[in-house]
Amino acid sequence: MQAAPTATPAAPPGRRKKRLTVFAAAAAALLMAFPATQNAFGEDAPMIEGGGDLGPNVMVFDPSTPDIQGKVDEVFKKQESAQFGEGRYALMFKPGRYDNINAQLGFYTSIAGLGLNPDDTTFNGDVTVDAGWFDGNATQNFWRSAENLALNPVSGTNRWAVSQAAPFRRMHVKGGLNLAPDGYGWASGGYIADSKIDGKVAPYSQQQWYTRDSEVGGWENAVWNMTFSGVEGAPAQSFPDPPYTTLDSTPVSREKPFLYLDGEEYKVFVPAKRTDSRGTTWADGTPEGESLPLDDFYVVKPGATADTINAAVEQGLHLLFTPGIYHVDKPIEINRADTVALGLGYATIIPDGGTTAVKVGDVDGVKLAGLLVDAGPENSETLIEVGPEGSSADHSENPTSLQDVFVRIGGAGPGKATTSIVVNSNDTIIDHTWIWRADHGDGVGWETNRADYGLTVNGDDVLATGLFVEHFNKYDVQWNGENGRTIFFQNEKAYDAPNQEAIQNGDTKGYAAYKVADSVEKHEGWGMGSYCFYNVDPTIRQHHGFQAPVKDGVKFHHLLVVSLGGKGQYEHVINDTGSPTSGEDTIPSQVVSFP
């Protein structure tokens, strides 16, 4: 393991120097009583205080809290089917033992222990996700998470039937883990990292899954695409039958920052970067990394403006977004190295007036985590930018990371964005993202929630681990940078294309789900799938799911395309390689290696 780079906040901008006159002395005294920093116009602005309470939607429990089950059930009742609602909740449990708990999680609900180690906070009970609200179909169990807890499941097996944007991080399950809903209905997840499951993981009906840097007691089955990197106990590589893609280690990783209690003091732990990682960070006790006191954070609450948030960053504070919805009329700009911007309870940022929601400078070590960006009704050219255009700095020793950063265009209402995420900075780590142009909900239609591109990567040496990108009008992923790598990719092409002409790409039928630019000399991907469901016009033909230059340095391992129920078909898997899909049987067409 490597030691974490220091993340000590920068000192506030220099205060104006004044000659020591009587008046200056009085002014200095006032400055000490009311500290000030300078805004972008060179004017004094009030100093923003760090720390404070976590707001009304962070519910903190300890083992003596009365009626814990009732309080958790009350949140679940509100959130069980509130797929596009405005409720946001974080359920936080202090270290200790909790008996007879079954915490059912609905939409926009995060549950987490407040220890430094998952075993510090133990449930003799379960953290459950099921799909009763949707008649046993788990394909819409989005936007919920479990982190930093140990579970002794009542039945010996915990149920976690989720699909996209539902991470399971730093969890210790002292038993088995069932990833399917009751009745084994459809499911389309999912993601596990830095976790230990003592028993077997049973995906059952899960179509695909990615597990990173964890330990499992076994893996029961596979459907289309099960991918592992750095997982002790993972099944041996055997794609295509069964479709297991197994990498011994993860090239570069940094676990997500998390809130914890050091005695009675809240801190945020920032795990260290690891290279060629395998297994959990906490197996041998305290993980490597750095603790930051809550006083070093601006605790952001609904109603905060982009101006205030940006001033806090300029002042030297990190950002902790409490659960809620935040409208910004200009980008949140993070131009200070090592800044942590952590969201709790699916804190949601909506850009107004067509602005970009978040811009990260071409600086070292920014950690952007736990945020949902929801496009506004006026088109944004971009929603998240990592590094300005032309970024060129080397960040290999201390990369910027995006973890559990999700994007949505439409669904909760009309939204538009030309490109959701643009990564210009070199060495960026994209660790678990779901970039989604909505196919259901409000404000949905081929032009209503127009969004041409999901992810565009221009930086070199960018690594994506757990990349979910779906339903964009053109390319879901465009990769222009050198030496890019993707471990696990899940995609569905846009359902709502009205006809063949609408998706025509010059002489090519349809835009690839994942395109590597012709200029790229080196690129590699493992465990990648694209699906089509052209239900508006089932006669649509998609030439391929993947497109890449044929060069020695461009390599793909374990690709598949699937026609869901015969609604549209693929003619090839990658370029002109791979058998066409056909019929209504939803059978993948696979390519083991390319070229």
Side-chain angles (χ1 to χ4, degrees), residues 72 76 79-80 91 102-107 109-111 127-130 141 144-146 160:
V72 170
F76 177 65
Q79 300 302 114
E80 180 183 11
L91 312 178
N102 180 20
Q104 299 184 79
L105 299 187
F107 288 97
T109 306
S110 297
I111 191 168
V127 172
T128 301
V129 177
D130 206 345
N141 279 354
R144 62 201 76 196
S145 66
W160 185 254

Side-chain angles (χ1 to χ4, degrees), residues 545-561:
F546 301 87
Q547 182 179 349
V550 181
K551 299 177 181 178
D552 290 344
V554 178
K555 302 175 182 178
F556 287 91
H557 316 272
H558 308 171
L559 303 177
L560 66 144
V561 296

Side-chain angles (χ1 to χ4, degrees), residues 514-537:
Y514 189 104
K515 180 188 178 182
V516 179
D518 291 344
S519 60
V520 169
E521 297 293 331
K522 190 174 182 182
H523 188 92
E524 196 159 10
W526 298 262
M528 306 174 71
S530 176
Y531 321 144
C532 73
F533 184 71
Y534 289 117
N535 61 321
V536 176
D537 182 359

